[in-house]
Amino acid sequence: MHISKRDGIVAWKAWLVRLLAIVLALLVDAIIIFAVVRLNPIDVYASMFNGAFGTEKKIWFLVRDLMILSCIGIGLAPAFKMRFWNIGAEGQMLVGGIMTAFWMINFAGKVPTWLLFVLMIVSALIAGGVWGFLPGLFKAIWNTNETLFTLMMNYIAIQLTSFFVAKWENPPGSNSVGVINRMGDVKNVGWIGNMFSKGYNADYGWVAAIVLVLAVAMFIYLNYSKQGYEIAVVGDSENTARYAGIRVRNVYMRTMAISGAICGFAGFLAVSAVSHTISTSTAGGRGFTAIIVAWLAKMNPFVMILISALLTFMDKGASQIASDFGLNEYVSQIVSGVILFFILGSEFFLNYRIQFAKAKK
Amino acid sequence: MHLEKAIEMKNITKRFGSKVVANRSVSLTLYKGEILSLLGENGSGKTTLMNMLSGIYYPDEGEIFVNEKPVEIKSPKDAFDLGIGMIHQHFKLVDVFTAAENIVLGLEGEKGKLDKGAVAKAVREIADRYGFEIDPNQKVYNMSVSQKQTVEIVKVLYRGANILILDEPTAVLTPQETEKLFTVMRNMRADGKAIIIITHKLHEVLAVSDRVAVLRKGEYIGDVPTAEASQQSLTDMMVGRAVSLNIDRPLAEAQTDRLVVEHLTVKDKEGVKKLDDVSFVAKAGEILGIAGIAGSGQKQLLEAIAGVQRAEPGSSVRYIEPDGSSSKQLVGMDPLSIIKKGVLLSFVPEDRFGMGLVGTMSISHNVMLRSYRRGKTPMLDRKFPKQLSQKIVRDLEVVTPDIDRTPIRRLSGGNVQKVLVGREIEQSPTVLMTAYAVRGLDINTSYTIYNLLTEQKMKGVAVIYVGEDLDVLLELCDRILVLCGGKVSGVVDGRNTTKEEVGLMMTKLGGGN
């Protein structure tokens, strides 16, 4: 057997391989489901599908979650394109969320709503931007390791969040902030969907629209702008960048500020459009999941949305199986894990060809 | 005497993807006790063919016989087991290990023990037998390029190779080192080993080999005994038509000072002086050659002028405007400042992918590297670099599937170099610096580049040519600056000097005894 790299593959073949991977994954899963828990695989798959698309509400939840995940992925894209391993999206998102909550709690009703939104968004962008800029600055000047640095910044952000949760505790003693602006004069002020119409689908419709615009903007920025070109050159070879007159330090700092700012914006969305509260689990590990999203999508924002959709679908499906069949989450995670494994595995066959040598003699 | 066949390849075909045929039905024979030169232009499939012997690629069609027995070489290990050893252009050594440790790396010792004494002894025996100079206990990071190559060769011999393949071994060596390598190769031949050498330097082919096999565009053109060949006949065979092998050296009329370098000193990260108080003048309308043993400060010299490398205080590089009106101090400026000052400095660096090109990008994106700032909008102008790429591809006969899709790393070395040189010349520079501009290029492409440089010179550009091939330096350059250990050993007139004189100056300051 001989493995060699492919020069490329036609699009329809690539999709055929991916489809085949999903079919295979479902087959393997069927065996696992039957062997381990003695359930009818078809029922389980139906339940999974149901968990994600069962009702209009569920579809909206799916859209909301996948869009926020995409938003973080879009934030990571410029950093990763520069080969700057920003694993600090979690923290960048949290500080963005803190700033959003700050304005919502303290200024709702005191300033015009449009101004409140401007303050929320701008401060979330700045906070996330600073959280990204700092590791960029240290890398540019002292060549510090960005992976450790961004990771550490996460812990600082988590501690900051705990501090503000304690400060803004509502009701006292609950150790949580509770839903901000839930009733009274300031009911729903600072909730994004409340700007024009009411209801969760308005909230989530906004999220989807904003993230789609961001995806288009990031795609253009990375592929068609001068700065995007500089990012790509720095990512491939710092020396070549310097040779071409690109100031590598500035590119590091600028790009990380942008990356952090978008992740901070994801924090704004999470607070203003989704939970309407802030807690240490506002990011909820999505800052890390988004790394997989950005990476699998090879920094293409549109593909990120597809991959986020897949991951979110799996997640929703897994919890639905767990509740429908009274299984623990682990079994359902195995089921979704197998699907993911096959889809990722199919990438290998897209990049490499396997030849079987002719039989000897 | 040439009776026993060491290797026979029959009707070998290798395709990459559906379109590219790297080798088409190639049949090649190598006899024991023979040195065979494999000759061909860039991209003619020499390295691919050899990679099938060393187990890196597997042929799509055809058969391979080693010692007259049919074999399947599916991995480098299979190749080793058959006694085939390949020395690649890029060395694969562990820097922090000694020569001996590198040599036994990956071999199964007895019961997992490493008897360093025994290894060192065996290494010395091999060295004595063939005339290598090697210290088994020296760390690789302390070695010169030539010493590293020696380690690579001893490594394959230690593993019992009887068939050696050397891929452009002389590209990185000085003439003296090359001569030593040839002596070793002759000793190995006398010992009955079979050797294939890939090189672009025809005088080396004539000097060392017994027979020459020529590939052109993936096909086997034929082979001739070296005794019956000449540089001209081999070139014609390789290119497929008669080619002129003369470098024109016209004298430009107006030669004015363009770059005045004074007391240029550059230190590396450890504070070691890599360039020590270098002063010279580069004139518009001349090609100034820079000669020196590899690592004598050539890299630092060009990089310091280009603003990529920091120069020590007291250094001065003055750029004099073509109209002679004013001059600018380049020391202390980074490349962007130099561009903004309107100084059109072109630079073909030594390490193409480490500096100069972005391997993962297409030709057109690489061409853009110099011009992407054009236009006032924050968006890229993609049309201009595309047109420029098309022009470079057309003018320099770059072989490529496309200009805006295939990563440039996938092109063969010669084509990559053409794109780089083409881009730098298209900037219409006033100073053109090139480091090893023809390294790894076939003879036809090399001459294209020599002519381009001369053309630039005649346009009034100050050309600085860092080269390793003394024959070319003597034929191409108006003046030659010789570096030795980071210092200027002397400047000689290219028209009235000899290879010996320059060679001596390379190894000893001033060239005296």
Side-chain angles (χ1 to χ4, degrees), chain B residues 262-313:
Chain B
E262 285 166 313
H263 311 299
L264 183 59
T265 301
V266 173
K267 287 182 182 167
D268 67 5
K269 275 182 192 153
E270 278 79 40
V272 178
K273 276 188 189 170
K274 287 290 178 184
L275 212 56
D276 192 356
D277 197 23
V278 167
S279 301
F280 66 93
V281 176
K283 291 179 188 160
E286 77 162 1
I287 298 182
L288 175 68
I290 312 267
I293 296 168
S296 300
Q298 296 96 323
K299 185 173 185 275
Q300 287 77 10
L301 177 62
L302 299 194
E303 289 186 4
I305 295 174
V308 182
Q309 174 95 245
R310 212 174 62 86
E312 293 300 309

Side-chain angles (χ1 to χ4, degrees), chain A residues 53-73:
Chain A
F53 301 110
T55 62
E56 199 196 329
K57 195 170 176 176
K58 281 179 176 162
I59 295 176
W60 274 114
F61 282 162
L62 178 81
V63 169
R64 171 195 76 188
D65 289 353
L66 85 85
M67 282 302 177
I68 290 196
L69 189 57
S70 305
C71 181
I72 311 169

Side-chain angles (χ1 to χ4, degrees), chain B residues 7 19 40 56 67 74 111 113 178 219 225-226 279 300 350 354 363 367 396 443 504:
Chain B
I7 286 183
K19 286 180 208 147
I56 293 172
N67 298 328
K74 282 184 268 179
K111 291 176 191 164
K113 273 188 200 161
T178 303
E219 291 183 48
T226 308
S279 301
Q300 287 77 10
E350 178 179 348
I363 291 184
V367 167
L396 300 186
I443 191 137
L504 274 174

Side-chain angles (χ1 to χ4, degrees), chain B residues 14-173:
Chain B
K14 177 72 191 171
R15 295 186 192 87
F16 291 109
S18 50
K19 286 180 208 147
V20 186
V21 184
N23 290 127
R24 191 193 302 274
S25 196
V26 172
S27 300
L28 177 86
T29 310
L30 173 70
Y31 298 96
K32 286 182 182 168
E34 149 178 91
I35 299 177
L36 174 73
S37 280
L38 190 56
L39 206 56
E41 299 194 77
N42 294 119
S44 60
K46 305 176 297 282
T47 305
T48 308
L49 190 66
M50 291 303 108
N51 278 340
M52 284 187 276
L53 285 180
S54 64
I56 293 172
Y57 294 143
Y58 188 78
D60 294 326
E61 289 164 28
E63 295 165 285
I64 300 176
F65 299 83
V66 172
N67 298 328
E68 309 192 350
K69 283 187 208 85
V71 293
E72 293 232 7
I73 308 173
K74 282 184 268 179
S75 68
K77 191 180 171 299
D78 288 356
F80 265 141
D81 294 344
L82 292 166
I84 301 174
M86 182 155 171
I87 289 94
H88 295 270
Q89 275 181 66
H90 303 284
F91 305 139
K92 296 168 166 73
L93 297 172
V94 182
D95 263 357
V96 294
F97 280 8
T98 63
E101 283 165 345
N102 268 289
I103 286 165
V104 293
L105 194 69
L107 291 181
E108 284 174 36
E110 277 173 50
K111 291 176 191 164
K113 273 188 200 161
L114 177 59
D115 184 349
K116 284 189 189 174
V119 173
K121 196 164 157 252
V123 167
R124 281 207 189 87
E125 265 170 30
I126 294 174
D128 291 345
R129 189 143 115 219
Y130 299 113
F132 289 107
E133 285 167 22
I134 185 172
D135 172 7
N137 297 318
Q138 192 177 3
K139 301 261 191 202
V140 169
Y141 62 80
N142 282 329
M143 290 184 184
S144 69
V145 181
S146 147
Q147 287 172 310
K148 286 181 194 173
Q149 186 179 62
T150 304
V151 176
E152 287 281 11
I153 299 173
V154 173
K155 187 163 92 182
V156 301
L157 289 174
Y158 181 84
R159 291 170 189 213
N162 290 314
I163 300 159
L164 282 95
I165 304 165
L166 300 132
D167 191 359
E168 289 190 45
T170 60
V172 289
L173 301 183

Side-chain angles (χ1 to χ4, degrees), chain B residues 183-391:
Chain B
T183 310
V184 166
M185 283 170 64
R186 290 185 190 108
N187 291 340
M188 293 195 285
R189 169 177 63 189
D191 198 40
K193 310 246 181 225
I195 302 171
I196 298 180
I197 174 172
I198 301 181
T199 173
H200 286 305
K201 299 179 188 167
L202 293 177
H203 59 94
E204 294 178 356
V205 170
L206 297 176
V208 75
S209 62
D210 302 306
R211 202 158 55 93
V212 189
V214 179
L215 288 181
R216 190 198 309 151
K217 292 184 177 144
E219 291 183 48
Y220 192 76
I221 298 303
D223 63 282
V224 284
T226 308
E228 295 167 19
S230 69
Q231 293 212 10
Q232 191 66 50
S233 73
L234 291 175
T235 309
D236 296 351
M237 233 175 134
M238 213 160 64
V239 181
R241 59 186 152 83
V243 177
S244 152
L245 285 188
N246 291 312
I247 305 178
D248 264 353
R249 182 161 47 184
L251 198 60
E253 281 171 17
Q255 294 190 3
T256 52
D257 291 359
R258 178 65 48 82
L259 272 184
V260 181
V261 177
E262 285 166 313
H263 311 299
L264 183 59
T265 301
V266 173
K267 287 182 182 167
D268 67 5
K269 275 182 192 153
E270 278 79 40
V272 178
K273 276 188 189 170
K274 287 290 178 184
L275 212 56
D276 192 356
D277 197 23
V278 167
S279 301
F280 66 93
V281 176
K283 291 179 188 160
E286 77 162 1
I287 298 182
L288 175 68
I290 312 267
I293 296 168
S296 300
Q298 296 96 323
K299 185 173 185 275
Q300 287 77 10
L301 177 62
L302 299 194
E303 289 186 4
I305 295 174
V308 182
Q309 174 95 245
R310 212 174 62 86
E312 293 300 309
S315 306
S316 159
V317 177
R318 263 186 317 121
Y319 169 81
I320 297 167
E321 293 288 345
D323 57 11
S325 58
S326 60
S327 71
K328 284 170 184 137
Q329 180 55 252
L330 299 188
V331 168
M333 281 206 249
D334 72 352
L336 186 61
S337 316
I338 294 177
I339 295 167
K340 283 188 172 162
K341 286 270 179 202
V343 178
L344 285 162
L345 207 69
S346 277
F347 178 22
V348 176
E350 178 179 348
D351 179 3
R352 296 162 205 166
F353 291 119
M355 182 185 284
L357 292 172
V358 183
T360 52
M361 290 185 179
S362 64
I363 291 184
S364 128
H365 270 67
N366 271 292
V367 167
M368 205 190 278
L369 201 60
R370 283 293 191 194
S371 56
Y372 81 96
R373 290 188 189 81
R374 280 167 64 96
K376 292 209 168 78
T377 67
M379 291 296 139
L380 290 172
D381 173 3
R382 303 184 133 204
K383 222 162 125 196
F384 173 74
K386 219 170 220 178
Q387 286 165 348
L388 195 56
S389 309
Q390 274 159 353
K391 182 171 186 291

Side-chain angles (χ1 to χ4, degrees), chain A residues 2 7 220 223-226 229-230 232-233 236-237 239-240 242-247 355 357-358 360, chain B residues 17 308 334-337 347 354-355 357-358 360-361 365 369-370 372-375 377-378 380 382 423-424:
Chain A
H2 190 75
D7 292 338
I220 294 173
N223 294 295
Y224 294 94
S225 79
K226 290 175 181 171
Y229 179 73
E230 290 180 342
V233 175
D236 193 277
S237 159
N239 276 332
T240 301
R242 283 196 293 134
Y243 159 91
I246 295 171
R247 293 195 166 133
Q355 290 159 317
K358 285 155 260 166
K360 283 188 187 175
Chain B
V308 182
D334 72 352
L336 186 61
S337 316
F347 178 22
M355 182 185 284
L357 292 172
V358 183
T360 52
M361 290 185 179
H365 270 67
L369 201 60
R370 283 293 191 194
Y372 81 96
R373 290 188 189 81
R374 280 167 64 96
T377 67
L380 290 172
R382 303 184 133 204
R423 180 188 75 198
E424 293 304 300

